[in-house]
Amino acid sequence: MIRHEVVVVGAGLAGQRAALAAVEAGRDVAVVSKLHPLRSHSGAAQGGINAAVGAEDSVDTHIYDTVKGSDYLGDQDAIEFFCREAGPTVVEMEHFGTIFSRAPDGSLARRAFGGAGFPRTIYAADRTGLALLQGLWERLGTEEFTLYSEWDLTDLLVRDGSVQGLVAFDRRRGEFEMIGARSVVLATGPAGRIYGHTTNAHSCTGDGLAVAYDAGAYLKDMEFVQFHPTALLESSILITEGARGEGGYLRNSAGERFMSRYAPHVLELASRDVVSRAIVTEVLAGRGFHGPYGDYVHLELMHLGKEKVESRLQEICDYSRHFAGIDPVTEPIPVYPAQHYMMGGIGTNIRGETNLPGLYAAGEAACVSIHGANRLGGNSLLETLVFGKQAGVAAAEHAERATASALDPADLDRSVAPIRAWSSRSDGEDPSTLRTEMQRTMDRYVGIYRSEADLLEGLRQIRALRARFERVRVVDRSRVFNLNLTDAVETGHMLELAETIVVGAYARTESRGAHSRTDYPKRDDARWMRHTLAKKAADGPQLSYSPVAYTRWEPKERVY
Amino acid sequence: MADTTISATFDVYRFDPAVDRSARYQRYTLDLAPHTPVLTALLRIRAEVDPTLSLRYSCRSAICGSCAMQVNSKSRLACETQIGPEIARHGRIVVEPMHNQPVLRDLVVDQTPFWREYERVEPHLKLDPARPMPADRPTSMTPEQVERFKETPRCIACAACYSSCPAVEADPEFPGPMALAKLYRYVVDPRDTATRERLVGIQAGGLWLCLRCHLCTDACPKDVRPSERIRDLKELAIAAQGATEPGSRHAVGFKESIRGAGLLNEMQLVRRTYGPLGLFGQLGQGLRIWRKKPEVVRRPHRIEKVEEIEKIYAALDTGSEAPK
């Protein structure tokens, strides 16, 4: 039986940073990941990482921008801590080896980003996530720890309310294993693949959120789903906000820079929720372009000049050319909003602690909450590192004092029996079909604009899919890299999470940040300035609410 | 973006170690738009036709490096290879696992050797305790210093280069293109203090086993141009240490021979490469060559206007750059 003191699940930036912190604290650490760490979705982050480091900028402005961007749902104590850690975090990553883009004087180059009062987004061309992921992985590689690469998380082991380890499936050997742990850190990223139109990688299926929810952890603010304004048409591949930060324009089919109607002061650099709604509104008003792959607007970079576009937005040029046959130097890029980020996640405090002893979460899998109802661009990479480290430190401290309880082999059988049943059925539901239908439901009924009628229909469909999932069937009989089995595990996880999103969105009768109800178009601070907490119950998610932490910033109307 | 579809035939390599003694090819035919990526097609096969097909994939946007495979015999990322041009050129799309790594199942290979070579170049900053990083602030680095990394930070470790490399196939001592491009990235890093140690290590550590075929550069989806970085490493290694290995001595000898005479002096080159004693080791080979092509072993004459050669050298030789 495998046993470690601290087991981190997920090897993107948050997981790696947690692992590094726990190793530095002297603990025996294992990292379990469904992908090789260098293939993590953190590497797909493009635009940059926020830190108020220049003399002209200030940490207070970063805090204010984040609070305002969150539509006053972010916890201000957590945001203050987060923004203060930004400078040291970026310096640390630079010292670890990350190659950032530079200003002529040798300092870190910075670019403008949406919703920010100052150009404070530090970047590495348009592949900042990749640069950080390489820098951190190569730093972590100098430490001693155990890597379980290409293992799928299927369950948490809980005894007397505290987490004792997990169950995971080694794709290569086709074996389920129990991994005992005094502390488990979930850094498994988002569940963006609940939606069909998403910028997220195929691996983003919310495995950590689902097993935590099953084990009794709270999922917080799940209804807050960010739609990135500029995803490439058809493939939904991300076109970084940095494209607008470098001066890109959005235009409708009448040739207008339509953002002047929605954000007269900052135009394209308004917060993401604002820009995404603006694009949808333009299209609904008949001012979009139409094509075989749907409606869209234009993102124009042509006026920036070939040299700037090709040097600062090198990957964007490649994506546009390879995936849309468009050269952004000479042509507009067809874009439309797509699911991009989950503000919600496993509820934690700033130490990454959940409501279950021994269980920690960080990164996009977690909800601290610093993003509230809408995340600012450039804050997610920072979040992975700041709170990955906090969770790693806290998990290591807990592991030092906690006693390890013996694992019971019968627990493995109990945990795995339902999954084994999927393979012994002679007839049943195909996991890919269920997944595709779930994605259509979420795209159609739980998108940027929501209403009671749509959410009820969405909930009905998701519950019907969950019922059908009870009869899911795995037809692949091979033990080695059985992706049919992985598909089924992931689809089960996502259906469970989809229900928490719809239930949370239905209950929240207001519009705040990324949650826009056409039947409740106003923010309602008196009733809804609070976090949604979803806990698993027999008949679906049971909702409760918790207050938002305040320090210095009174809620105001958001104008960009 | 056309919306007309074409009928696309895929012949996909299938192998399940539990049931198959050897690989087989399975044919799937789908109607798809010509700009459909090969990965999208394979995922449609998985979702609609055959859920047992196994492959690695994740981001579908050429940034995670998961889906490198052989597409019509070239190492490519399946996610950014469109089916239209492949069908137009080859009539069908043959999809096979990467080379130089054992097949685990279908299109999934065992990447252990690839990652081992990556680890072997010690891909992390090595710091001299006497030269600590500046406290509480980033290292100063100019845009010109960032330029020196060339495209190596774009590497996504997809192993397309490793799969295409004949030197990897032929010689277990060769680290492979990706590992050497990674080494280059640390050699030119102004923060790293082990530059000379790294160059000395790699000069004797397989650097000269590269066959200079440039297939890695052809295969690389991110324009890292590993073969050019290998060339850069060779120049830097000779500049740091002089030519210490047969490979580097051969390169320097070649250059000097042409410079002096305008033609290659094979005898001199053999002596320079293997040393005076090593010359005996090549005696049998030399005799065989002498019997067939005696002019090769004879001392060549100087060409006319050898001074023109010097002008070419002067134009090319900008002086080996200092490592940092």
Side-chain angles (χ1 to χ4, degrees):
Chain A
M1 194 171 306
I2 305 168
R3 180 171 273 294
H4 297 277
E5 290 177 333
V6 176
V7 177
V8 179
V9 192
L13 287 171
Q16 288 186 29
R17 192 61 191 81
L20 180 59
V23 170
E24 284 180 335
R27 302 276 67 80
D28 163 33
V29 176
V31 175
V32 178
S33 173
K34 69 201 284 190
L35 299 169
H36 184 281
L38 282 176
R39 312 216 181 287
S40 303
H41 191 51
S42 298
Q46 296 171 0
I49 177 166
N50 292 338
V53 291
E56 326 84 325
D57 199 1
S58 77
V59 172
D60 265 5
T61 321
H62 187 191
I63 296 169
Y64 170 70
D65 289 341
T66 305
V67 169
K68 178 182 171 187
S70 81
D71 218 349
Y72 299 91
L73 193 69
D75 288 322
Q76 296 183 5
D77 53 349
I79 293 172
E80 292 201 27
F81 173 81
F82 169 71
C83 296
R84 287 191 216 304
E85 287 294 309
T89 299
V90 169
V91 170
E92 180 178 74
M93 289 306 295
E94 198 279 334
H95 288 182
F96 284 176
T98 304
I99 303 166
F100 289 107
S101 295
R102 300 292 178 143
D105 67 356
S107 64
L108 302 176
R110 289 169 286 165
R111 63 165 49 125
F113 245 53
F118 195 84
R120 72 169 67 92
T121 304
I122 291 160
Y123 61 95
D126 54 349
R127 49 174 175 274
T128 314
L130 184 67
L132 292 168
L133 192 65
Q134 289 177 353
L136 185 53
W137 177 242
E138 291 171 359
R139 167 66 183 82
L140 184 59
T142 65
E143 304 287 350
E144 286 292 323
F145 66 98
T146 309
L147 174 66
Y148 299 94
S149 187
E150 300 187 313
W151 287 47
D152 289 311
L153 173 67
T154 62
D155 205 2
L156 288 176
L157 298 168
V158 184
R159 181 163 301 167
D160 305 328
S162 83
V163 171
Q164 305 286 336
L166 54 88
V167 178
F169 174 76
D170 177 3
R171 289 186 189 176
R172 182 166 173 169
R173 289 182 302 131
E175 295 283 354
F176 287 91
E177 299 271 10
M178 279 200 286
I179 303 181
R182 297 180 190 182
S183 305
V184 171
V185 182
L186 296 175
T188 51
R193 285 278 156 179
I194 288 177
Y195 288 83
H197 296 294
T198 176
T199 64
N200 283 190
H202 288 281
S203 56
C204 299
T205 56
D207 307 316
L209 283 83
V211 299
Y213 180 64
D214 284 341
Y218 286 111
L219 298 184
K220 186 154 89 188
D221 293 340
M222 290 295 283
E223 63 269 32
F224 293 99
V225 177
Q226 179 167 80
F227 290 79
H228 196 287
T230 60
L232 205 54
L233 193 66
E234 192 191 3
S235 62
S236 295
I237 287 170
L238 174 66
I239 302 294
T240 176
E241 190 164 305
R244 283 170 286 136
E246 295 292 349
Y249 297 153
L250 288 170
R251 282 192 203 277
N252 61 19
S253 58
E256 298 169 303
R257 276 181 76 188
F258 56 84
M259 281 310 298
S260 60
R261 277 197 277 281
Y262 308 91
H265 305 296
V266 297
L267 301 165
E268 283 85 357
L269 288 177
S271 206
R272 287 177 179 171
D273 55 333
V274 176
V275 182
S276 287
R277 277 193 294 271
I279 293 172
V280 173
T281 305
E282 288 296 302
V283 164
L284 289 175
R287 292 190 292 270
F289 299 90
H290 317 285
Y293 301 105
D295 301 321
Y296 58 95
V297 296
H298 278 164
L299 172 62
E300 289 187 0
L301 306 177
M302 298 95 79
H303 58 283
L304 301 177
K306 185 179 165 73
E307 195 193 307
K308 188 171 184 179
V309 173
E310 289 192 340
S311 64
R312 300 212 192 152
L313 301 167
Q314 195 175 20
E315 306 296 333
I316 292 311
C317 287
D318 272 13
Y319 297 152
S320 305
R321 289 165 186 161
H322 286 135
F323 299 108
I326 295 289
D327 185 350
V329 172
T330 58
E331 300 164 272
I333 307 172
V335 295
Y336 196 75
Q339 191 283 343
H340 180 61
Y341 188 86
M342 294 174 58
M343 273 69 74
I346 303 163
T348 72
N349 60 17
I350 61 172
R351 285 168 50 82
E353 293 165 330
T354 69
N355 59 310
L356 300 181
L359 185 67
Y360 301 79
E364 196 172 341
C367 177
V368 178
S369 144
I370 49 164
H371 308 307
N374 173 68
R375 174 176 71 81
L376 291 190
N379 271 354
S380 64
L381 286 176
L382 183 60
E383 178 192 23
T384 62
L385 297 166
V386 168
F387 292 110
K389 179 178 172 181
Q390 294 304 310
V393 167
E397 285 174 11
H398 179 264
E400 200 171 358
R401 21 170 235 271
T403 48
S405 67
L407 297 179
D408 181 355
D411 284 344
L412 180 64
D413 289 333
R414 253 194 302 280
S415 171
V416 171
I419 299 177
R420 293 218 165 103
W422 301 344
S423 298
S424 53
R425 289 199 176 115
S426 58
D427 186 33
E429 295 281 352
D430 169 47
S432 287
T433 305
L434 296 177
R435 183 183 297 212
T436 306
E437 290 186 25
M438 167 189 68
Q439 291 172 339
R440 283 200 195 120
T441 297
M442 295 300 282
D443 284 347
R444 167 72 183 81
Y445 297 105
V446 200
I448 291 177
Y449 282 112
R450 300 157 176 191
S451 67
E452 178 174 309
D454 278 357
L455 292 168
L456 278 175
E457 178 57 21
L459 184 59
R460 191 190 66 74
Q461 293 188 11
I462 293 295
R463 289 202 164 140
L465 289 166
R466 288 201 65 192
R468 284 167 62 192
F469 185 80
E470 293 298 314
R471 299 194 340 99
V472 75
R473 180 185 177 215
V474 171
V475 297
D476 190 350
R477 292 282 174 268
S478 178
R479 295 176 74 81
V480 184
F481 276 87
N482 185 335
L483 296 193
N484 191 207
L485 179 60
T486 300
D487 275 345
V489 169
E490 291 174 344
T491 301
H493 288 163
M494 288 191 289
L495 279 169
E496 195 161 35
L497 299 174
E499 190 181 9
T500 67
I501 295 173
V502 190
V503 167
Y506 175 77
R508 187 174 282 272
T509 50
E510 66 157 353
S511 290
R512 181 186 298 271
H515 175 67
S516 302
R517 289 279 301 253
T518 53
D519 42 359
Y520 297 93
K522 291 262 183 273
R523 195 175 79 192
D524 183 352
D525 289 341
R527 280 190 68 199
W528 287 109
M529 188 98 92
R530 48 190 191 156
H531 298 294
T532 307
L533 299 175
K535 195 168 177 121
K536 187 169 178 169
D539 56 347
Q542 190 181 41
L543 299 188
S544 59
Y545 294 91
S546 70
V548 173
Y550 277 96
T551 56
R552 293 183 276 166
W553 286 272
E554 283 295 318
K556 289 189 291 194
E557 195 188 347
R558 273 164 91 220
V559 179
Y560 285 102
Chain B
M1 287 198 245
D3 58 343
T4 51
T5 59
I6 53 172
S7 172
T9 298
F10 294 84
D11 285 326
V12 182
Y13 182 104
R14 302 298 308 269
F15 175 71
D16 180 350
V19 290
D20 295 321
R21 279 229 199 106
S22 60
R24 59 200 166 85
Y25 287 80
Q26 194 156 346
R27 177 161 288 195
Y28 306 95
T29 305
L30 284 87
D31 285 330
L32 298 164
H35 69 274
T36 307
V38 170
L39 177 64
T40 304
L42 295 173
L43 296 184
R44 275 197 51 185
I45 290 169
R46 276 188 45 71
E48 296 166 19
V49 187
D50 185 352
T52 69
L53 175 63
S54 197
L55 68 153
R56 283 198 182 94
Y57 63 96
S58 182
C59 77
R60 61 74 169 87
S61 59
I63 201 72
C64 77
S66 297
C67 69
M69 53 188 74
Q70 299 292 122
V71 179
N72 285 328
S73 301
K74 287 189 84 168
S75 303
R76 305 289 301 269
L77 291 180
C79 68
E80 68 165 18
T81 305
Q82 297 185 356
I83 64 157
E86 295 297 319
I87 295 284
R89 192 157 171 206
H90 302 276
R92 60 177 180 151
I93 299 174
V94 181
V95 186
E96 296 165 304
M98 280 196 281
H99 295 159
N100 296 334
Q101 298 153 94
V103 177
L104 294 172
R105 179 179 177 193
D106 297 343
L107 303 169
V108 181
V109 296
D110 179 2
Q111 301 213 274
T112 311
F114 171 74
W115 294 121
R116 193 172 52 228
E117 296 300 336
Y118 161 73
E119 295 296 335
R120 209 155 65 96
V121 299
E122 299 182 280
H124 53 84
L125 284 183
K126 293 191 182 187
L127 301 175
D128 180 351
R131 268 179 57 191
M133 294 271 192
D136 306 329
R137 64 187 160 84
T139 324
S140 178
M141 202 188 291
T142 62
E144 291 70 36
Q145 283 174 309
V146 174
E147 282 291 305
R148 297 219 50 203
F149 292 105
K150 298 186 176 157
E151 304 291 337
T152 53
R154 292 188 74 193
C155 175
I156 55 172
C158 66
C161 59
Y162 193 83
S163 172
S164 71
C165 177
V168 166
E169 187 180 349
D171 203 324
E173 291 299 304
F174 185 56
M178 182 271 189
L180 290 173
K182 179 61 77 175
L183 178 67
Y184 172 85
R185 171 250 172 279
Y186 279 99
V187 162
V188 298
D189 194 318
R191 296 165 293 190
D192 193 84
T193 56
T195 310
R196 191 184 147 81
E197 173 194 321
R198 290 180 189 275
L199 289 169
V200 167
I202 202 63
Q203 176 152 211
L207 177 63
W208 295 89
L209 297 171
C210 167
L211 301 169
R212 288 169 292 175
C213 67
H214 300 286
L215 285 172
C216 54
T217 292
D218 192 39
C220 177
K222 299 310 247 187
D223 211 26
V224 171
R225 301 179 164 268
S227 57
E228 293 181 15
R229 303 296 77 82
I230 292 171
R231 179 205 60 204
D232 293 338
L233 278 176
K234 287 173 173 176
E235 287 182 4
L236 292 170
I238 291 172
Q241 195 193 9
T244 60
E245 297 298 305
S248 48
R249 287 199 303 263
H250 183 269
V252 172
F254 205 104
K255 179 179 165 190
E256 293 310 317
S257 175
I258 299 283
R259 181 174 226 162
L263 284 172
L264 196 58
N265 182 336
E266 295 275 2
M267 289 290 283
Q268 195 186 54
L269 187 58
V270 172
R271 197 181 69 242
R272 277 176 175 273
T273 303
Y274 297 103
L277 289 175
L279 203 54
F280 285 104
Q282 305 297 317
L283 213 54
Q285 173 91 332
L287 281 171
R288 280 194 298 278
I289 294 173
W290 180 69
R291 231 176 279 139
K292 289 203 165 157
K293 284 191 117 180
E295 68 275 15
V296 172
V297 192
R298 230 175 276 141
R299 187 185 178 79
H301 59 280
R302 275 166 76 105
I303 61 161
E304 286 172 40
K305 294 190 183 170
V306 74
E307 62 279 5
E308 293 291 313
I309 299 274
E310 197 53 47
K311 282 185 196 161
I312 296 172
Y313 271 68
L316 290 174
D317 199 1
T318 50
S320 288
E321 292 172 76
K324 295 286 156 72

